[in-house]
């Protein structure tokens, strides 16, 4: 990415995306490209109506610029560096808030990597889903205190939506 003007990402001999390094990273056109270039967190989602997705018993997310078919399946994705961990839920239409339990941390020099699992909204605090670990990268200056239970704030504008065929919807 640092030495190219244009990058071709290929999958099994087929070009998935031919674009600038910036667009390859920030605007991947397929799930494969998003996963291949850098780290990306993926979560399953289902359309509840024409503009809303829901995932893992968490809040609904509104995408007014997209149209979904009810019960259609999607994947929502976000980069680890686009997340802000906070100690309490701060509801907002601008953020996806995910209640998580921190299961591990890793010191990376200027950053700290947090490994989190989503807490089940309807279960006890001890019940977390270990099926899917989310990765969050945080600058040390932004993260003074790491607690076992936190809320991840992901800006809605930083979310990627991929359909069942792996094609980007936004």
């Amino acid at each position: 990415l640092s030495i190219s003007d244009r990058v071709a990402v290929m999958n099994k001999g087929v070009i998935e995306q031919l674009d600038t390094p910036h667009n390859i990273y920030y605007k991947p056109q397929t799930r494969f490209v998003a996963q291949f270039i850098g780290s990306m967190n993926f979560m399953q989602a289902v359309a509840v109506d024409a503009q809303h997705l829901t995932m893992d018993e968490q809040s609904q997310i509104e995408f007014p610029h997209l149209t979904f078919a009810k019960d259609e399946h999607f994947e929502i994705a976000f980069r680890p560096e686009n997340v802000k961990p906070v100690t309490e839920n701060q509801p907002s239409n601008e953020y996806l808030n995910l209640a998580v339990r921190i299961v591990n941390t890793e010191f990376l020099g200027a950053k700290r990597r947090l490994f989190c699992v989503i807490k089940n909204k309807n279960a006890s605090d001890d019940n977390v889903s270990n099926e899917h670990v989310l990765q969050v990268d945080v600058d040390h200056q932004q993260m003074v205190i790491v607690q076992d239970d936190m809320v991840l704030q992901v800006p809605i504008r930083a979310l990627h939506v991929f359909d069942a065929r792996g094609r980007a919807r936004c």
Side-chain angles (χ1 to χ4, degrees), residues 12-47:
K12 298 177 184 172
V14 176
I15 294 176
E16 292 269 331
Q17 187 171 348
L18 175 63
D19 215 329
T20 65
H22 181 273
N23 286 347
I24 294 286
Y25 189 81
Y26 289 107
K27 298 176 185 175
Q29 295 302 302
T30 66
R31 185 192 193 284
F32 178 83
V33 172
Q35 184 177 5
F36 186 76
I37 302 294
S39 296
M40 183 76 82
N41 293 299
F42 293 93
M43 303 176 69
Q44 299 297 315
V46 177

Side-chain angles (χ1 to χ4, degrees), residues 115-135:
F115 297 93
C116 317
V117 291
I118 295 177
K119 294 175 67 176
N120 186 330
K121 197 176 195 179
N122 298 323
S124 69
D125 287 342
D126 293 333
N127 189 5
V128 294
S129 170
N130 287 316
E131 296 174 6
H132 192 74
V133 176
L134 300 176
Q135 181 177 306

